[in-house]
Amino acid sequence: LTQAKRMRLPSINLAYSAGYSSSDFENLVENENYVWNLAMGLTLPLFQAGRLKANQKLSESELNRSELEYIQTVLNAFSEVESKISSHHLLLLQLDALNRALNQAEEALNLSKDRYDTGISELITVLDSQRRVFDTRSQMILIKRQLIDNRIDLILALGGTYETK
């Protein structure tokens, strides 16, 4: 951007040269034949048909686009981290509810076994209670796996690395 602005301004060039000058080869190195020259030049960006101004605007728009892309990247990162933290809390709530459901299912299984042993209920009731315990444990395993996956995703979203050995 600064280079594009600089191209629109005039530039000043200084040049210096020194040496010996003589029409005779014999007198070439004498002090009175020493010649020096100082030149100054001024260059102006004259007719460029708006090319320099267009280059400056192009540089400014590229800078703005880069800033917007950076801001969008930062916002996406914050959104991803927030999403993973929210998912983590929801999964913990589900795991807590499944723990309570598992306790109730195990109590129901024990009760159905006691009732079966005394002859009050049938075997199908015990088997149904066992199925509920197994289903609840299976759901708990799935939620625990989702918790692990979510934690890995959160670590990656925060800039961590994941290495397998």
Side-chain angles (χ1 to χ4, degrees):
L1 179 63
T2 57
Q3 180 67 23
K5 286 181 181 178
R6 207 177 301 139
M7 292 295 295
R8 295 184 67 196
L9 299 174
S11 62
I12 297 173
N13 298 323
L14 292 175
Y16 168 77
S17 64
Y20 290 93
S21 174
S22 174
S23 58
D24 293 332
F25 185 71
E26 300 162 349
N27 300 329
L28 184 62
V29 290
E30 295 179 6
N31 279 341
E32 66 246 11
N33 294 325
Y34 187 73
V35 178
W36 61 276
N37 185 13
L38 177 64
M40 183 173 87
L42 177 67
T43 48
L44 296 170
L46 293 177
F47 184 68
Q48 298 282 334
R51 182 176 61 90
L52 297 175
K53 188 173 185 178
N55 284 344
Q56 181 181 349
K57 286 187 178 184
L58 177 65
S59 296
E60 289 171 355
S61 67
E62 287 175 354
L63 178 64
N64 288 337
R65 182 181 54 82
S66 297
E67 287 174 349
L68 290 175
E69 286 177 357
Y70 177 75
I71 289 170
Q72 187 62 43
T73 301
V74 169
L75 289 176
N76 287 343
F78 279 126
S79 174
E80 189 175 351
V81 168
E82 182 181 17
S83 171
K84 297 303 176 189
I85 290 173
S86 176
S87 294
H88 180 75
H89 290 299
L90 291 175
L91 289 170
L92 287 177
L93 290 174
Q94 287 179 346
L95 189 60
D96 187 47
L98 284 172
N99 271 328
R100 288 192 305 269
L102 179 63
N103 288 338
Q104 291 173 356
E106 287 173 343
E107 287 176 10
L109 176 62
N110 291 335
L111 182 62
S112 67
K113 281 182 183 178
D114 290 342
R115 294 183 75 181
Y116 176 74
D117 289 342
T118 57
I120 299 175
S121 81
E122 299 177 357
L123 182 61
I124 193 77
T125 307
V126 175
L127 294 175
D128 189 45
S129 296
Q130 281 181 336
R131 184 186 51 78
R132 284 190 196 126
V133 169
F134 293 146
D135 287 345
T136 305
R137 285 184 180 156
S138 177
Q139 289 175 1
M140 287 179 69
I141 291 170
L142 289 175
I143 294 296
K144 287 178 181 180
R145 172 145 191 240
Q146 287 177 355
L147 267 169
I148 292 169
D149 290 342
N150 188 64
R151 286 178 186 161
I152 291 171
D153 290 342
L154 178 61
I155 289 169
L156 293 174
L158 289 170
T161 58
Y162 177 73
E163 297 177 12
T164 58
K165 293 187 179 188

